[in-house]
Amino acid sequence: MSQRQRMGQPMIILGEDSQRMKDRDAQSHNISAARAVAEAVRSTLGPKGMDKMLVSSMGDVTVTNDGVTILQEMDIDNPTAEMIVEVAETQEDEAGDGTTTAVAIAGELLKNAQDLLEQDIHPTAVIKGFHLASQRAREEVDDIAERVDTDDEELLRKVAETSMTGKGAELNKELLGQLIVDAVRQVTVEGPEGENVVDLDYVKIETQTGRAAGESELLQGAAIDKDPVHPDMPDTVEEARVMLINEPIEIEEADVDTQLSVDSPDQLQQFLDNEEAQLKEKVEQIEATGANVVFCQKGIDDLAQHYLAKKGILAVRRAKKSDIKFLKEVLGARIVSDLDSATEEDLGTGSVRRDDADELFYVEGGDSHGVTLLLRGSTDHVVDELERGITDALDVVAQTVSDGRVLAGGGAIEVELARRLRDYADSVEGREQLAVEAFADSLELVPRVLAENAGLDAIDTLVDLRAAHEDGQIRAGLNVFSGQVEDTFDAGVVEPAHAKEQALSSATEAANLVLKIDDIIAAGDLSTGGDDDEEMGGAPGGMGGMGGMGGMGGAM
Ligand code: ADP
Ligand code: MG
């Protein structure tokens, strides 16, 4: 196999199974692996990007267009490729959107870096040049970005729509965009210096299948997808005093192997009475706090259910941990973990209403401000993808509200940055200049791929875009819906500046991390895939073991 031939001489200091690659070999091995990852997600970029179907080893199917989701589900088993996956994860954590862009740029940076390395330019010069270019590009983003009024709902809706498109939200993007903007506005408060602070912890996304996405709605408070534990319980409590508890309302289990020996029927009866008394006491403790609703994260014993029902207390068991956490915010409650010390102080107040059609409880808080985005869709796959798109859009709208800087999308910002970086390159001394130029070229991947994915000619598009930018049209981008190069900002393709800055810095860091490596010492086979080698033969650089994705080798 070709990889073995590329290995250096066996080293005495290393174990028998170790492998070692140095210098150019190590670099090209790493670059190929990283590029393979970038190429895997490229075809999903933009509103016209295609989706991927990912099948886990358990047979679970995910259909998605979301960069970070694809990479996380792909079960990548190559150390370099994993570094690129981390780019996507950083981008997701820091910006919530732009993951495909960050990964695609990282891949393109490495591709162009490889050309430079082949011209005998030292990696440190490339790294330095990339670093300079990335820094400059971020300054330029700030210079190009438009400061907008964060109360401008129409603009915020455009930001939401730009982020959502391509993720199953097309048909209802106006409605969904509006719901997102409303949700963000409801959880925005004024910070100490008059700035907007958005706390997305107060926004929960709940999904329901069976109805059209167009029937999605924004609810005040929480929606809890649970039933009362007992049919005799009230299912609507207007003046609710709610206890959230994460301890089971059950008998404390004795050890598994404890044996109970009873000598007489009396003793057995006494034992059972004792259990009954324990449960009764727990229910009385709940009642003593004044609670009339209980959300329990654990189980509730049948007998306890009966006692609770008798006292007119509404109880729900096995509530999700995330629901309990959110209810805590919505109701202003404290989570009880020991009934013995529960008091009235722990309760939250609000109202609990039953929706029989949806089999949900709507829980509204007295004076706090949590909201729930109830997303609907026909099937699980549809709502799951919708949820991923909506989560991204929530993040970018929140960023826009707190940061106030936006950019024209559809490649407009990338082409403008490339143009400015080429000017800047002239002022950079030495070989680093070539790296700055390579960086500029790499950014133009974005409009190229947007065009490609929309079935347009990538070269023609880029030529038109460059001409427009030379002409001073800073906001000229490709609107894939009209197929035209136009002012994408006016066309409503608007992105937050912060996410773009983050994409630039995480892509550069990842590329530089890969370029810095000149020696790979592996305690074992470098292509960790082992038996999958045959299948993965088509992928460059031995992208070993991409688990369940093995069969897709050729598609990348
Ligand atoms: P990412 O994971 O990077 O967010 P997306 O698949 O969401 O990837 O695509 C984002 C890119 O799509 C951005 O560059 C954005 O400007 C672009 N885009 C969004 N809407 C349009 C549009 N109508 N025309 C052209 N490009 C668009
Ligand atoms: Mg996106």
Side-chain angles (χ1 to χ4, degrees):
M1 121 188 194
S2 63
Q3 245 165 41
R4 254 176 228 291
Q5 288 154 13
R6 271 192 261 137
M7 297 297 117
Q9 294 298 310
M11 303 275 300
I12 294 165
I13 55 164
L14 297 176
E16 239 180 73
D17 292 331
S18 321
Q19 288 192 359
R20 184 164 188 181
M21 266 188 215
K22 277 182 75 70
D23 302 326
R24 196 63 72 65
D25 279 340
Q27 275 145 4
S28 66
H29 171 87
N30 280 338
I31 290 175
S32 308
R35 280 180 54 195
V37 175
E39 263 152 47
V41 295
R42 250 173 65 161
S43 66
T44 68
L45 185 76
K48 300 252 173 148
M50 301 300 279
D51 294 348
K52 288 198 186 285
M53 179 164 121
L54 301 145
V55 186
S56 78
S57 50
M58 303 291 289
D60 292 333
V61 175
T62 307
V63 178
T64 186
N65 179 295
D66 190 44
V68 69
T69 309
I70 295 168
L71 296 175
Q72 281 169 344
E73 298 284 323
M74 248 166 70
D75 184 22
I76 288 173
D77 198 7
N78 172 299
T80 323
E82 275 167 16
M83 297 204 282
I84 301 298
V85 177
E86 279 169 24
V87 184
E89 287 172 346
T90 312
Q91 181 70 20
E92 177 77 6
D93 290 346
E94 298 297 319
D97 194 11
T99 52
T100 314
T101 307
V103 170
I105 293 179
E108 193 69 3
L109 284 172
L110 285 168
K111 176 178 165 226
N112 290 330
Q114 197 166 23
D115 292 345
L116 296 177
L117 297 182
E118 273 160 21
Q119 296 166 42
D120 273 333
I121 296 176
H122 197 270
T124 48
V126 179
I127 291 169
K128 172 102 183 293
F130 279 0
H131 183 73
L132 288 173
S134 161
Q135 223 169 6
R136 180 61 173 235
R138 276 173 290 154
E139 287 163 23
E140 296 291 352
V141 166
D142 190 58
D143 182 60
I144 298 166
E146 320 237 346
R147 269 72 185 165
V148 293
D149 175 5
T150 51
D151 286 332
D152 183 346
E153 283 214 5
E154 196 189 327
L155 179 104
L156 294 177
R157 249 191 341 258
K158 287 179 181 167
V159 172
E161 287 175 19
T162 302
S163 166
M164 270 186 314
T165 45
K167 302 206 161 49
E170 271 66 43
L171 293 175
N172 303 290
K173 66 178 184 184
E174 267 151 48
L175 166 76
L176 294 168
Q178 186 65 47
L179 294 181
I180 288 166
V181 172
D182 289 346
V184 170
R185 297 188 70 89
Q186 292 209 25
V187 299
T188 303
V189 292
E190 201 170 299
E193 277 146 44
E195 77 280 21
N196 286 329
V197 179
V198 187
D199 191 346
L200 288 182
D201 284 346
Y202 287 109
V203 181
K204 186 144 195 306
I205 297 184
E206 204 56 57
T207 56
Q208 279 252 310
T209 52
R211 284 208 249 162
E215 290 178 64
S216 298
E217 52 191 319
L218 184 67
L219 308 170
Q220 297 303 313
I224 308 291
D225 190 0
K226 279 280 165 191
D227 299 320
V229 287
H230 197 283
D232 292 343
M233 287 177 173
D235 60 7
T236 290
V237 182
E238 287 299 339
E239 278 176 31
R241 293 177 301 280
V242 185
M243 179 185 286
L244 306 176
I245 167 165
N246 67 5
E247 142 187 83
I249 310 177
E250 288 169 344
I251 302 290
E252 277 121 55
E253 292 280 334
D255 280 342
V256 207
D257 48 4
T258 307
Q259 282 194 5
L260 178 75
S261 51
V262 285
D263 303 326
S264 66
D266 275 1
Q267 267 187 344
L268 179 61
Q269 192 54 44
Q270 202 185 355
F271 174 77
L272 293 173
D273 288 350
N274 194 6
E275 286 210 325
E276 218 176 291
Q278 264 192 45
L279 287 170
K280 209 168 196 164
E281 195 196 332
K282 282 185 193 280
V283 173
E284 273 159 9
Q285 284 172 330
I286 293 171
E287 192 192 22
T289 62
N292 53 10
V293 178
V294 176
F295 285 96
C296 181
Q297 200 185 314
K298 304 275 169 59
I300 303 179
D301 187 276
D302 287 352
L303 203 56
Q305 295 175 13
H306 168 78
Y307 290 139
L308 285 163
K310 256 174 67 181
K311 298 201 183 286
I313 298 174
L314 164 60
V316 168
R317 68 173 164 174
R318 304 206 187 283
K320 280 188 279 180
K321 189 173 179 192
S322 59
D323 281 343
I324 297 277
K325 259 177 72 186
F326 188 57
L327 283 172
K328 174 174 175 262
E329 306 293 344
V330 168
L331 295 163
R334 275 189 243 153
I335 297 175
V336 173
S337 48
D338 179 14
L339 268 179
D340 292 338
S341 55
T343 67
E344 196 186 339
E345 311 268 280
D346 297 321
L347 307 184
T349 53
S351 67
V352 178
R353 270 183 225 108
R354 180 74 179 159
D355 182 324
D356 280 321
D358 282 337
E359 303 192 328
L360 291 174
F361 284 112
Y362 294 140
V363 184
E364 239 178 87
D367 46 19
S368 61
H369 59 295
V371 292
T372 297
L373 247 176
L374 186 60
L375 298 179
R376 301 184 193 275
S378 49
T379 72
D380 280 333
H381 289 145
V382 172
V383 282
D384 286 353
E385 179 67 349
L386 194 60
E387 182 177 359
R388 284 186 283 269
I390 300 285
T391 316
D392 286 6
L394 268 174
D395 279 329
V396 297
V397 172
Q399 266 171 45
T400 310
V401 166
S402 49
D403 179 66
R405 292 176 308 146
V406 292
L407 300 163
I413 175 66
E414 284 84 3
V415 176
E416 182 62 19
L417 286 177
R419 191 183 71 78
R420 294 187 181 200
L421 284 177
R422 288 192 187 102
D423 283 348
Y424 165 66
D426 295 341
S427 71
V428 176
E429 306 265 309
R431 297 176 165 208
E432 284 79 3
Q433 184 181 78
L434 298 175
V436 174
E437 279 165 3
F439 192 101
D441 296 343
S442 307
L443 295 181
E444 287 177 341
L445 173 84
V446 173
R448 266 187 6 238
V449 172
L450 286 171
E452 241 168 56
N453 290 348
L456 301 165
D457 188 290
I459 311 248
D460 287 350
T461 306
L462 192 56
V463 169
D464 289 353
L465 280 171
R466 280 187 180 173
H469 282 260
E470 281 307 325
D471 214 28
Q473 299 172 38
I474 295 184
R475 309 197 300 197
L478 169 68
N479 180 359
V480 297
F481 292 120
S482 65
Q484 301 294 322
V485 167
E486 56 189 46
D487 184 325
T488 44
F489 196 96
D490 288 344
V493 184
V494 187
E495 298 181 68
H498 171 80
K500 198 60 79 183
E501 288 167 342
Q502 182 62 47
L504 289 167
S505 67
S506 41
T508 313
E509 273 169 32
N512 282 350
L513 201 62
V514 172
L515 290 172
K516 246 185 222 147
I517 300 167
D518 76 340
D519 196 356
I520 308 172
I521 306 162
D525 198 331
L526 268 171
S527 59
T528 31
D531 334 41
D532 298 342
D533 275 3
E534 291 281 312
E535 269 180 85
M536 293 305 296
M543 270 279 289
M546 290 190 17
M549 296 288 294
M552 284 191 58
M556 294 187 287

